[in-house]
Amino acid sequence: MCLAVPGRVTAIFGEDPLIKTGRVDFGGIVREVNLCYVPEVQLGDYVVVHVGFALSIVDELEAQKIFEYLRQIGEMNLFDEQQS
Amino acid sequence: MKYIDEYRDNRAAVKLLAEIRRATTHEWTIMEICGGQTHSIVKYGIDQLLPPEISLVHGPGCPVCVTPIETIDAACYLAALPNVILCSYGDMLRVPGSRTDLLHLKASGSDIRIVYSPLDAVTVASKNPAKQVVFLAVGFETTAPANAMAVFNAAQRKLPNYSQLVSQVTVPAAITAILGASENRVQGFLAAGHVCAVTGYREYEPLAARFRVPIVVTGFEPIDLLHGILMCVRQLEVGSCLVENQYSRTVSRSGNSSAQDIMQRVYETCDRNWRGIGIIPNSGLRLREEFSGYDAESKFAITIEPGNDSAECIAGKILRGIMKPIDCPAFATRCNPESPLGATMVSSEGACAAYYRYRGQSQPTAK
């Protein structure tokens, strides 16, 4: 039940937030998704979808943070190796 | 696939495992709440890659697993009625009831339909005005907004033939029950990422403070889980008990307010019986009085009495993190996905199903 998948919004229909729907592309598979819970969604955003409803818009900047952290660790480890 | 592949990167995993190894100086027991996280851990072998000092125990975050046997029996009763179409998420069909299950009933001719979205059941109701459509509304807070919108939608359309058999559960009360139990060994939690995408994590802060456990909101891919475990271990090593957010690309502290609005308009908190665990106060959701016309229990005047589970099934102990599937004498012998003794062997988020699928049916070996 917790399983939700990220996909890219390729179309948005409907002005009224409660009946807003759209098309979301999950790596090639396109499904119709209810967008009522992400009223600020824009075309091209990635959303996390569960049982046909988008629950959250993926934050690109936050998504990068772990990889930035791992890059820094990698550089620090290289520095330590060079020192010893 | 973007936002999936990079969170399965092997090099990132190796780095995180090295950091976890560096950080760990004591033995720690950490519970992941969600069945989806359990599956990922078992599938990617994360529990076997961690330093031996870290024990991962599996939590009760599988709504299919914790749906009480009597609710399955009620669903079976309704599905067998001649003018009823029962709609359900696919996983529920093979969950054993006291005498039968929905899949067997479907095979013998009952009109039982699998739906992907709860709105599909509303569509079935509008297309079949002569039939009563009952939707088996199971789920944690991740699913509650969708289940709520279905009722809201049916009410707006004034559909007289749509109702829900509600078995919604909520996470914070379960954490309280686990930590309050005398045999509890859990020292830190990985909270369910998608539940928190809906609810936020404000309500976990008093729990972390009261029970003095770190709680890390964690995603589902292997990099998310390793990162969440690293954050949890770092807190444990210094005696910290804060709520942290590993899954920040999807979760915010206040969560999704429009989803929470509809949930609170349609549902209210109630006590719930968790299969294998018992009644946990304030751990569930039921339809509010205003929407009682959409409650299948009152519409069909059914009283749900506590049922009896298989005596052999130890799912309750597994869901509380006291035992693992491989500790069960019936695992992979008398109990398997084709003939399950309990719900944890059935659900795509069940711990027993995860071990069966990814660890095979061989005898367990010591770590």
Side-chain angles (χ1 to χ4, degrees):
Chain A
M1 288 294 133
C2 260
L3 301 170
V5 191
R8 188 171 51 89
V9 177
T10 58
I12 300 176
F13 311 111
E15 282 304 314
D16 180 354
L18 277 183
I19 54 168
K20 213 171 186 180
T21 62
R23 271 202 286 272
V24 176
D25 183 343
F26 301 96
I29 298 170
V30 180
R31 297 196 80 137
E32 180 137 336
V33 168
N34 192 301
L35 300 175
C36 68
Y37 292 131
V38 285
E40 67 280 24
V41 75
Q42 308 282 322
L43 283 179
D45 281 346
Y46 276 77
V47 289
V48 170
V49 178
H50 174 69
V51 298
F53 283 75
L55 295 179
S56 174
I57 301 172
V58 180
D59 184 324
E60 180 111 38
L61 286 173
E62 289 293 327
Q64 285 307 312
K65 282 186 177 169
I66 176 63
F67 302 106
E68 198 36 59
Y69 167 69
L70 290 173
R71 245 190 306 279
Q72 285 170 2
I73 296 176
E75 283 162 17
M76 271 165 45
N77 288 344
L78 196 57
F79 178 75
D80 286 341
E81 277 166 35
Q82 286 170 345
Q83 291 295 298
S84 57
Chain B
M1 273 184 69
K2 197 173 174 189
Y3 296 120
I4 290 194
D5 293 344
E6 57 269 51
Y7 294 93
R8 296 181 184 178
D9 180 60
N10 190 54
R11 286 162 306 169
V14 166
K15 279 187 189 171
L16 284 166
L17 280 163
E19 287 302 296
I20 294 169
R21 174 65 276 173
R22 239 190 296 276
T24 306
T25 66
H26 288 86
E27 291 190 346
W28 301 115
T29 299
I30 298 173
M31 173 180 274
E32 86 280 355
I33 300 281
C34 180
Q37 293 167 329
T38 305
H39 266 247
S40 202
I41 285 166
V42 178
K43 177 177 177 180
Y44 291 99
I46 287 172
D47 53 335
Q48 296 172 321
L49 293 168
L50 290 171
E53 296 94 314
I54 300 179
S55 249
L56 289 182
V57 295
H58 313 308
C62 166
V64 171
C65 305
V66 302
T67 296
I69 194 169
E70 54 268 23
T71 303
I72 305 297
D73 293 341
C76 288
Y77 165 76
L78 292 170
L81 295 174
N83 67 328
V84 167
I85 301 174
L86 187 106
C87 293
S88 172
Y89 296 119
D91 258 20
M92 297 304 297
L93 262 64
R94 286 184 300 120
V95 176
S98 302
R99 279 170 298 280
T100 184
D101 57 55
L102 291 172
L103 191 63
H104 279 97
L105 284 176
K106 186 174 162 70
S108 7
S110 292
D111 196 343
I112 296 170
R113 305 190 193 183
I114 292 175
V115 294
Y116 164 64
S117 160
L119 291 180
D120 297 341
V122 179
T123 305
V124 170
S126 70
K127 289 185 174 169
N128 294 273
K131 299 271 188 170
Q132 283 290 331
V133 174
V134 178
F135 175 63
L136 183 48
V138 166
F140 274 93
E141 296 97 316
T142 325
T143 319
N147 290 347
M149 184 53 79
V151 174
F152 202 71
N153 199 268
Q156 281 187 320
R157 294 161 75 166
K158 298 187 168 40
L159 289 176
N161 62 331
Y162 172 86
S163 60
Q164 287 191 349
L165 184 59
V166 181
S167 181
Q168 294 274 165
V169 275
T170 54
V171 172
I175 291 182
T176 307
I178 287 165
L179 289 172
S182 52
E183 68 267 27
N184 173 53
R185 332 176 267 133
V186 177
Q187 296 162 301
F189 277 99
L190 303 183
H194 293 136
V195 165
C196 292
V198 172
T199 64
Y201 51 89
R202 275 172 308 195
E203 57 187 323
Y204 292 77
E205 289 162 357
L207 290 178
R210 175 179 159 195
F211 292 103
R212 305 203 56 77
V213 286
I215 300 178
V216 181
V217 180
T218 304
F220 298 80
E221 297 300 331
I223 298 308
D224 291 317
L225 289 157
L226 288 169
H227 188 200
I229 291 165
L230 175 62
M231 290 166 74
C232 197
V233 167
R234 282 195 169 140
Q235 284 209 51
L236 287 166
E237 290 281 333
V238 298
S240 160
C241 49
L242 300 172
V243 179
E244 285 187 281
N245 183 10
Q246 180 281 326
Y247 200 28
S248 55
R249 65 186 184 276
T250 301
V251 176
S252 67
R253 182 169 175 264
S254 51
N256 184 321
S257 55
S258 47
Q260 290 165 30
D261 279 346
I262 300 288
M263 266 169 70
Q264 277 150 24
R265 280 185 69 171
V266 173
Y267 295 119
E268 60 188 5
T269 302
C270 64
D271 297 343
R272 275 260 168 240
N273 186 17
W274 292 50
R275 186 168 183 168
I277 297 176
I279 295 178
I280 303 181
N282 302 315
S283 65
L285 299 173
R286 66 175 171 216
L287 285 164
R288 286 189 183 274
E289 181 64 38
E290 184 195 336
F291 295 98
S292 58
Y294 298 95
D295 183 351
E297 282 178 61
S298 28
K299 187 178 249 190
F300 293 90
I302 45 180
T303 336
I304 301 197
E305 300 287 344
N308 291 315
D309 250 302
S310 148
E312 221 183 339
C313 179
I314 63 161
K317 293 209 165 101
I318 292 170
L319 291 164
R320 281 174 287 154
I322 296 164
M323 292 176 85
K324 298 230 163 102
I326 46 176
D327 298 328
C328 177
F331 175 74
T333 55
R334 290 176 296 291
C335 183
N336 56 62
E338 279 71 50
S339 51
L341 292 178
T344 45
M345 183 56 89
V346 168
S347 172
S348 62
E349 291 180 310
C352 300
Y355 275 74
Y356 189 91
R357 187 169 169 191
Y358 300 116
R359 297 287 153 88
Q361 301 95 64
S362 50
Q363 283 301 306
T365 50
K367 194 174 183 186

